[in-house]
Amino acid sequence: MNLSVQELKQKLVKTLKSEYGYVPEEATDRQMYGTVLTVVQEMLLDKRGEYLDKLKQKDPKRIYYMSMEFLVGRSLKNNLYNLCLEPEMKRAVAELGFDLERIYDMEPDAGLGNGGLGRLASCYMDGATTLGYPVTGFSIRYEFGIFKQKIVDGWQVEFPDNWLEMGSYWLTPRVDEAVEVHFEGNVTEQWSEQGLKTIHSNYYSVRAVPYDLLISGHKSDAVNSLRLWRAESADAFDMNEFSRGEYVKSMESDAKAAAISKVLYPADDHIEGKELRLRQQYFFVSASLQNIVQAHLRQNPTLDNLPDKVVIHINDTHPALCVPELMRLLLDEYGYQWEKAWDITCRTLAYTNHTVMSEALEKWDLNLFRKHLPRITTIVEEINRRFCNEIFEKFPEKRGAIPSMAAIGDGCVRMANLCVIACYSVNGVSKLHSDILKEDLFKDFDDIFPHKLTNVTNGIAARRWLCQGNPLLTSMVKELIGDGFEKDLMELKKLEQYESDDTVLSCLGDIKQRNKENLARYISKANGINVDPCSMFDVQVKRLHEYKRQLMNALHILHLYLQIKNHGLEMEPRTFIFGAKASPGYFMAKEIIRFICGLGDMINKDSSISGMLKVIFLADYKVSLAEMIYPAAEISEQISQAGKEASGTGNMKMMLNGALTLGTMDGANIEIYEQVGKDNIFIFGMDTPEVNRLKAEGYHPRKVYETNPYVKEVLDFVQKGGIEGKNFETIVSYLLNNDSYMSLADFESYRQIHQTVNDVYKDACRWNQMSLHNIANSGIFSADRSIMDYVNNIWYK
Ligand code: GFP
C-alpha cells in the first residue's frame, strides 16, 4: 500500500478525534493503540472490498479451511508488514509522540488454539493469502482463548484469557449473515409428494453470528478472512418468566447458548469427549456449512456443481461433522436423493490427520451423540450401514476388517474413520507420518481407496518467524542475497556460498549473540534470574505431553548437574530453556512442569557449579513469546519418541533462525535431516522400527535403571528427595514401571549426542557454519510450499 507518513498521520489524527474526541497531545497510549488498530483495520476492509470485486469477476474455486483452532498471535505488526507500511507507521506514530513498539506490546495474542495444530492453520492463512488463493478460515469466536499460565511454587495455575478486551478491534461483526443451528429434538419420517421426508422437530435453536478477522497477503492483492462464530440464544429471553419475577430463569437459554463460544477447550488428549465440545463442533460446522452453501447459491443456480467450485478442508477430526452436516443440508434442505448427495459430499471434502495417538483420535459415545444431534446420528448410521455393505459386497477380502473400519463401533462414532470414508483426500503432515497412516493406522482404507492417502509436509509462515521476529538476521540475509526470499524461501539456498566466509559467519554469530542478550533481558525480568548470554541456549518449547519427552530432557539436565557436582565434569556453559502449557486436567504433564521448575530452583542457586548450568521455565508460552525465543535458540530439542510426533513445526522455526536440531528420527526431523545432511544435525535414539521392535519384545524400563549407572544415579537422587526435598514419587514410579514413551531406553544415546553437541560448540566457526547451512536449507519448510502442495495435489487437482 502506498501511503506517506503525512497521510498516515492525518488518518490517525482524524480517527483519534472521531473515536475518542482527543488530539494526540491529550491521548493515552491505550487510545493511540485503539486508533492505530482502527486505521489499519479500515485499510484492510478497503483492500478486502477491492479483492472481493476481483473474485466476483474471476469466480475461482473457493477453499474453506475448517479448524477448531487458529493460533493467530498478534496481528498489528504482521498486518503492517504485509501492507508494507511498517516504517511509515512507525514514523507517523513517533511524530505524534508515541512509540510503535510499545503499541505492539499492548496487543494481546489471539490465542484461539493450543499448539502446533492451531498455529499451522494460521501459517496457512498467511501463505495462501500471500499466494492469492481465496481461502476462508472458519472457527469459533472464543471469548476466552488458551488460558494464561502462571507458575506458583512449581505448579501451573491457569487464568482466563480475556483477549477480546484489547483484541476485538480486528473483528468485524456480520450480523446480517447470522444463521441458526439446531440441537436436540425429535426426528420423524413423513411421506410427502417428493417421497419420504425426514422431519427434525422440537429442537433447541442457537444463533450463530459471524465475525471476520481479515488477513492481508504480503505484497499481494488478496485479503482473506477468518470467520469466527459467536453463539447466542435464538430466542430473546423469556418475557413471561421475566414478568413472573423469575429473572435468572428467564435468561437461562441465553447462558446455555452463549456457553458454546465461551472458551477454547484445552488440548484434551486424555479426557473423554465432553458434551460442550460436541456442541461446539456441531455449532461451528453447521453455521459454516450453511454459510458456504448460501454463498455458493448466490453465484450458482444449483449445488450440483459444488465440488467444482468448493473444497471444504477438515483440519483434524474436530470438524468431522462436516460429513453428516453437508449430507443433511443436501438431503433435508435442498431435496437431494442419498446417492447424489453422497457423491457431492465426498467430492467436496478433504481431511488432514495430525496425530496417530489413539487417545487423540476422537470418538463420541453414540448415546450422547444421539441426544444432542438426533438427525446427524441417523445420517451417520446410514453412512455406516452403506459403507459396511459396500465393503462386504465389493471387497470380500476385507470383510474381517469391517469392524475396525466402520464409522460406528463399540458404541461410539469414530470421527477419523468417518472422515476417511467420506473425504476424497486424506493427508498426513510429514513423510513419515503419512507413511504410518498408509501402512498402519489407515492401512485397510489405503488398500481399498488406493489414491486417497497422500502427504503434505507442514510448513511455517517464514515472513512472521524470520522477517518480523528476527530483524537482525533478516537484514543480514537481505544484504547477502537480496529480498527475493520473502516470497520464495527456496532462495535462502544462495546463502550456501557464504559457508566459508569468515566475515559472514562471525556476523551470524554476533546476531545470535544479540538475540540471546535480548532473551536474557526478558528472562531476568520475567523469572528474576540472570542467565549468561554467552552460554549455549538449548531450547524446548511446545505443548507439554509425555510423548514429546520434556521429562527426558530434564533427567539429562539432572545428570549433567550430578556429573559436574560429584564427578568434576567440565562443560561449555549451557542455559536450558523450557516453555510449555499442560492441559489443566493432565496430571502427569503438570507434574513434569513441577519437576522442571524444582530442578531449576535447585540448579540456578547452586554457586558451586560456577554458572555452568541454568534451567529456565518461561511461563505462559505463546506465539508472541515464541517470536522472541526462536531467534535466540542455538539447540532445538525435538526429542519425541520416534513415530509419535506427526511433524513438528517448532523444529522448522528454529532451523530458520539458525538453531541446530537435536532430535530423533521422527516427524519432520527426518526431512530436516534430508535437507541438511548428517553433519549438520544431531540425531539420536531409536527410529520407528526399533521402537516397534522393542515394544513387541516387551520393554522393561527397570532393566535400564539396573544396567545404566547414569540413569540409576539420576533416579536414585530424585527418589531420595534430592531436588529441594521435594517428592517426585509419581515421576520415578512412572519411569520405572511404565515409561510409556521409552525415555530411559533412549537416555544413553541422548546423553552421548549431548556430549557431541558440547564438543562442536567449542568451535564457534564450525558451529556458525552449521547454523548458516541450516538456514540456507530451510526454504522447503515454507508454508507457501505447503500451500502449493495443497493447491496442486488436493484443492485444484
Ligand atoms: C500437532 C502435531 C504436530 C504437528 C502439528 C501440525 O501439533 O506434530 O506438527 O499438529 O500438524 F502433534 P500439536 O498440537 O501437538 O502441537
Side-chain angles (χ1 to χ4, degrees):
M1 245 184 182
N2 266 338
L3 277 178
S4 67
V5 175
Q6 206 46 40
E7 286 166 319
L8 278 176
K9 266 168 74 181
Q10 278 165 8
K11 275 182 185 287
L12 291 170
V13 171
K14 197 167 154 217
T15 306
L16 183 63
K17 181 136 192 267
S18 61
E19 293 287 313
Y20 300 98
Y22 282 130
V23 292
E25 294 72 31
E26 295 169 327
T28 61
D29 268 359
R30 166 123 193 210
Q31 285 157 348
M32 187 44 84
Y33 164 86
T35 303
V36 174
L37 265 65
T38 307
V39 165
V40 175
Q41 174 70 355
E42 275 165 12
M43 291 191 269
L44 290 175
L45 282 165
D46 286 350
K47 201 174 159 196
R48 168 87 172 154
E50 288 164 25
Y51 178 60
L52 286 181
D53 285 346
K54 277 186 204 152
L55 276 188
K56 224 178 224 163
Q57 284 160 24
K58 287 198 197 142
D59 193 26
K61 189 175 187 181
R62 313 296 160 104
I63 312 301
Y64 297 102
Y65 200 79
M66 307 289 300
S67 182
M68 284 282 277
E69 302 189 13
F70 282 87
L71 198 45
V72 180
R74 291 174 171 164
S75 290
L76 179 58
K77 194 176 191 172
N78 191 48
N79 282 331
L80 287 174
Y81 171 84
N82 283 340
L83 295 169
C84 301
L85 273 180
E86 205 195 7
E88 288 79 5
M89 184 61 93
K90 196 167 238 161
R91 270 192 54 198
V93 167
E95 287 180 19
L96 296 175
F98 294 84
D99 175 7
L100 189 60
E101 290 298 326
R102 269 224 311 276
I103 289 179
Y104 284 156
D105 270 345
M106 292 170 75
E107 187 181 350
D109 278 42
L112 312 183
N114 279 288
L117 174 118
R119 182 54 229 172
L120 186 82
S122 281
C123 284
Y124 284 175
M125 288 307 296
D126 178 275
T129 312
T130 296
L131 292 166
Y133 290 99
V135 177
T136 303
F138 276 112
S139 194
I140 295 175
R141 196 202 73 143
Y142 301 108
E143 212 172 308
F144 298 95
I146 175 95
F147 61 86
K148 285 193 171 144
Q149 178 196 53
K150 288 199 178 142
I151 302 296
V152 180
D153 201 16
W155 274 106
Q156 166 179 295
V157 184
E158 301 95 23
F159 293 88
D161 164 42
N162 183 11
W163 73 286
L164 284 171
E165 192 189 339
M166 293 284 279
S168 61
Y169 295 90
W170 298 123
L171 298 176
T172 309
R174 304 283 189 194
V175 183
D176 49 325
E177 291 188 65
V179 293
E180 286 197 11
V181 178
H182 299 163
F183 293 92
E184 302 165 24
N186 313 101
V187 175
T188 47
E189 289 186 327
Q190 263 176 26
W191 283 101
S192 72
E193 276 168 23
Q194 290 81 33
L196 196 61
K197 210 172 158 13
T198 306
I199 311 286
H200 183 195
S201 54
N202 296 329
Y203 46 74
Y204 161 69
S205 198
V206 175
R207 203 164 106 99
V209 184
Y211 287 70
D212 286 350
L213 190 153
L214 300 184
I215 295 148
S216 167
H218 178 61
K219 294 187 184 161
S220 102
D221 294 342
V223 179
N224 281 320
S225 80
L226 172 54
R227 179 155 278 202
L228 305 172
W229 297 98
R230 183 172 68 81
E232 62 181 37
S233 172
D235 315 307
F237 74 94
D238 194 324
M239 202 63 211
N240 286 334
E241 273 168 353
F242 186 76
S243 312
R244 288 200 303 271
E246 297 191 52
Y247 305 125
V248 174
K249 200 148 182 258
S250 70
M251 287 166 211
E252 255 170 21
S253 167
D254 256 1
K256 187 174 164 191
I260 293 178
S261 55
K262 191 59 97 189
V263 58
L264 167 84
Y265 261 90
D268 252 355
D269 291 2
H270 282 250
I271 304 162
E272 288 297 297
K274 294 257 167 64
E275 290 195 15
L276 181 62
R277 184 160 169 91
L278 181 61
R279 292 170 91 89
Q280 286 189 333
Q281 294 186 351
Y282 185 63
F283 166 75
F284 108 94
V285 160
S286 176
S288 309
L289 262 51
Q290 291 182 54
N291 199 236
I292 292 167
V293 164
Q294 283 165 12
H296 179 83
L297 289 175
R298 276 197 294 274
Q299 303 250 342
N300 300 270
T302 164
L303 291 170
D304 287 4
N305 65 342
L306 193 70
D308 306 325
K309 302 303 259 172
V310 162
V311 176
I312 299 172
H313 203 102
I314 300 176
N315 192 34
D316 219 18
T317 50
H318 320 146
L321 287 166
C322 283
V323 177
E325 177 63 5
L326 186 52
M327 285 297 287
R328 184 192 70 80
L329 286 167
L330 293 166
L331 295 168
D332 298 358
E333 312 273 330
Y334 295 96
Y336 279 84
Q337 295 300 306
W338 184 278
E339 286 75 12
K340 180 81 184 153
W342 183 241
D343 175 64
I344 293 175
T345 298
C346 295
R347 290 193 295 122
T348 305
L349 300 178
Y351 158 60
T352 298
N353 171 284
H354 292 267
T355 182
V356 295
M357 305 284 292
S358 56
E359 62 270 36
L361 293 169
E362 287 183 304
K363 294 187 185 87
W364 290 106
D365 177 83
L366 190 55
N367 292 326
L368 179 115
F369 204 79
R370 197 185 307 281
K371 175 180 149 208
H372 291 279
L373 312 171
R375 174 57 180 140
I376 290 297
T377 307
T378 60
I379 293 174
V380 172
E381 283 170 336
E382 183 60 11
I383 291 173
N384 189 48
R385 190 188 66 77
R386 287 175 182 244
F387 172 73
C388 295
N389 277 351
E390 189 186 336
I391 303 296
F392 192 87
E393 301 289 326
K394 292 199 195 145
F395 303 94
E397 73 284 5
K398 284 286 171 197
R399 283 178 187 171
I402 291 176
S404 66
M405 295 172 82
I408 299 174
D410 306 321
C412 289
V413 183
R414 299 159 171 167
M415 306 310 262
N417 284 7
L418 185 60
C419 287
V420 185
I421 290 168
C423 295
Y424 74 87
S425 166
V426 174
N427 73 285
V429 289
S430 73
K431 284 187 202 162
L432 174 73
H433 171 57
S434 299
D435 286 348
I436 294 175
L437 294 185
K438 271 179 174 234
E439 288 155 19
D440 189 356
L441 193 64
F442 299 142
K443 177 163 183 355
D444 291 315
F445 289 107
D446 190 46
D447 293 341
I448 292 173
F449 312 119
H451 303 295
K452 201 180 259 208
L453 270 84
T454 174
N455 175 56
V456 177
T457 297
N458 282 344
I460 56 169
R463 287 171 289 273
R464 178 184 283 262
W465 296 109
L466 176 63
C467 306
Q468 295 159 43
N470 196 343
L472 295 173
L473 182 57
T474 305
S475 328
M476 183 190 107
V477 174
K478 276 190 185 164
E479 233 166 78
L480 295 173
I481 61 167
D483 61 6
F485 71 94
E486 286 180 83
K487 287 278 216 169
D488 175 8
L489 205 65
M490 289 308 281
E491 290 215 359
L492 289 178
K493 191 87 182 159
K494 292 183 186 162
L495 290 171
E496 278 189 345
Q497 61 188 295
Y498 298 101
E499 280 177 21
S500 306
D501 184 324
D502 290 342
T503 323
V504 169
L505 294 180
S506 92
C507 178
L508 184 63
D510 290 347
I511 287 170
K512 186 60 82 179
Q513 185 58 29
R514 287 180 57 191
N515 288 332
K516 284 161 67 182
E517 285 161 9
N518 189 36
L519 181 59
R521 275 192 293 278
Y522 177 83
I523 291 173
S524 161
K525 234 175 39 209
N527 290 35
I529 295 168
N530 291 327
V531 300
D532 176 6
C534 293
S535 62
M536 184 200 306
F537 279 19
D538 182 319
V539 177
Q540 188 174 17
V541 284
K542 50 185 79 236
R543 207 152 64 70
L544 211 136
H545 198 286
E546 286 158 70
Y547 84 80
K548 297 183 192 261
R549 301 203 292 195
Q550 283 95 344
L551 182 56
M552 183 171 74
N553 187 349
L555 292 176
H556 173 256
I557 298 170
L558 178 55
H559 159 74
L560 291 177
Y561 175 72
L562 295 177
Q563 289 298 305
I564 297 169
K565 222 167 150 66
N566 304 335
H567 309 282
L569 172 75
E570 300 251 335
M571 60 178 279
E572 296 299 299
R574 209 163 320 173
T575 301
F576 288 93
I577 296 165
F578 291 87
K581 286 182 181 172
S583 184
Y586 185 178
F587 176 72
M588 187 50 92
K590 286 184 154 177
E591 270 296 271
I592 294 171
I593 292 182
R594 193 170 71 85
F595 185 77
I596 296 168
C597 292
L599 191 66
D601 289 346
M602 173 181 76
I603 292 177
N604 296 339
K605 67 171 180 231
D606 188 342
S607 53
S608 76
I609 57 165
S610 358
M612 248 185 278
L613 280 184
K614 284 272 159 75
V615 183
I616 301 297
F617 188 93
L618 284 173
D620 207 30
Y621 177 61
K622 55 185 172 183
V623 174
S624 55
L625 188 52
E627 284 165 14
M628 194 191 313
I629 296 173
Y630 291 137
E634 289 174 298
I635 278 290
S636 151
E637 298 263 359
Q638 307 299 335
I639 58 178
S640 49
Q641 184 192 30
K644 287 289 181 282
E645 188 68 272
S647 162
T649 45
N651 48 2
M652 301 168 183
K653 292 166 201 163
M654 282 200 255
M655 175 193 192
L656 178 66
N657 280 280
L660 306 185
T661 304
L662 187 164
T664 45
M665 280 303 230
D666 198 15
N669 293 352
I670 297 176
E671 284 153 82
I672 294 180
Y673 172 89
E674 286 168 5
Q675 291 301 312
V676 299
K678 68 174 178 18
D679 296 334
N680 295 291
I681 188 166
F682 302 103
I683 296 292
F684 77 98
M686 293 177 285
D687 61 14
T688 309
E690 284 166 338
V691 166
N692 292 339
R693 228 170 298 144
L694 181 55
K695 205 175 281 166
E697 280 166 14
Y699 171 52
H700 305 291
R702 200 175 280 273
K703 266 197 198 146
V704 184
Y705 165 80
E706 281 157 7
T707 51
N708 185 316
Y710 303 118
V711 170
K712 184 164 187 333
E713 187 183 29
V714 163
L715 291 190
D716 287 350
F717 183 84
V718 178
Q719 193 141 38
K720 283 185 201 135
I723 300 180
E724 303 282 272
K726 291 192 164 117
N727 181 346
F728 288 111
E729 187 50 42
T730 20
I731 288 195
V732 176
S733 132
Y734 161 80
L735 286 167
L736 289 178
N737 302 314
N738 192 344
D739 191 19
S740 324
Y741 300 98
M742 300 182 177
S743 291
L744 298 193
D746 270 344
F747 187 85
E748 184 53 28
S749 161
Y750 185 53
R751 195 183 75 78
Q752 287 179 20
I753 201 71
H754 267 292
Q755 283 180 351
T756 310
V757 169
N758 185 68
D759 293 343
V760 177
Y761 197 70
K762 289 179 188 152
D763 182 349
C765 180
R766 170 78 192 114
W767 188 274
N768 291 333
Q769 215 167 32
M770 290 169 77
S771 170
L772 189 65
H773 188 75
N774 269 266
I775 300 168
N777 287 284
S778 59
I780 189 102
F781 300 114
S782 162
D784 300 358
R785 189 270 312 145
S786 306
I787 289 295
M788 287 317 295
D789 286 354
Y790 279 104
V791 162
N792 294 325
N793 304 331
I794 298 176
W795 294 341
Y796 294 87
K797 199 165 78 161

